[in-house]
Amino acid sequence: MRINPDLVRKLMIYVEDTVSTDKLITSADIASYLPNFTEEEIYYHVRYLDDDFYFRKVDYFMGLGFMIYDLSPKGHHFAETMRSDTVWNKTKETSKKIGSATLDTIYKIGIDVVASLISKSLGA
């Protein structure tokens, strides 16, 4: 299965916006929030993000069940960098242009897009 950057972004922002000290996120929560994706797609992406340290802790259950406790600092950085639709759309456009869509590449492009927007806003 290929990584879907749009699904990654939606997952990360949803987790960041939803998790709190008294609220964890389950696979059922995500499935109802993202009905256009299959349970298999969601599970695969959660597992991928967990393996790459975007989450602080995830528990897995029989079948495709899981519970996310929180994002790691790396996960928070990704979610905040990609939160703006302006940044996300420019990041995707640049990623497509250069032909690379790894999460590391997408994150680096996003950082550069943010830096460019900062420079423009400061009149540099």
Side-chain angles (χ1 to χ4, degrees):
M1 182 179 298
R2 294 183 62 138
I3 295 300
N4 179 331
D6 289 310
L7 175 51
V8 168
R9 177 183 181 244
K10 288 174 183 179
L11 270 169
M12 299 299 286
I13 291 172
Y14 176 71
V15 171
E16 185 173 60
D17 289 347
T18 307
V19 166
S20 67
T21 55
D22 60 347
K23 170 75 172 121
L24 307 176
I25 294 179
T26 67
S27 48
D29 295 329
I30 293 174
S32 71
Y33 178 73
L34 298 171
N36 295 332
F37 297 97
T38 68
E39 288 182 32
E40 291 83 7
E41 287 173 304
I42 292 168
Y43 181 86
Y44 184 85
H45 283 72
V46 166
R47 184 65 98 170
Y48 177 86
L49 291 165
D50 188 25
D51 288 347
D52 205 16
F53 307 106
Y54 281 84
F55 299 122
R56 185 170 302 283
K57 181 179 177 186
V58 180
D59 285 337
Y60 297 94
F61 309 109
M62 295 292 290
L64 300 174
F66 57 84
M67 187 179 313
I68 300 172
Y69 289 77
D70 199 359
L71 296 178
S72 67
K74 180 179 180 178
H76 282 288
H77 293 167
F78 184 91
E80 282 306 310
T81 299
M82 301 305 168
R83 184 173 291 277
S84 157
D85 288 339
T86 301
V87 171
W88 181 242
N89 291 332
K90 183 65 175 169
T91 298
K92 284 191 344 180
E93 175 187 320
T94 304
S95 171
K96 186 178 272 188
K97 236 185 253 184
I98 65 170
S100 179
T102 68
L103 287 188
D104 287 341
T105 300
I106 287 169
Y107 180 66
K108 288 174 185 171
I109 293 168
I111 293 292
D112 288 345
V113 170
V114 170
S116 174
L117 291 170
I118 291 169
S119 292
K120 286 179 185 173
S121 104
L122 295 174

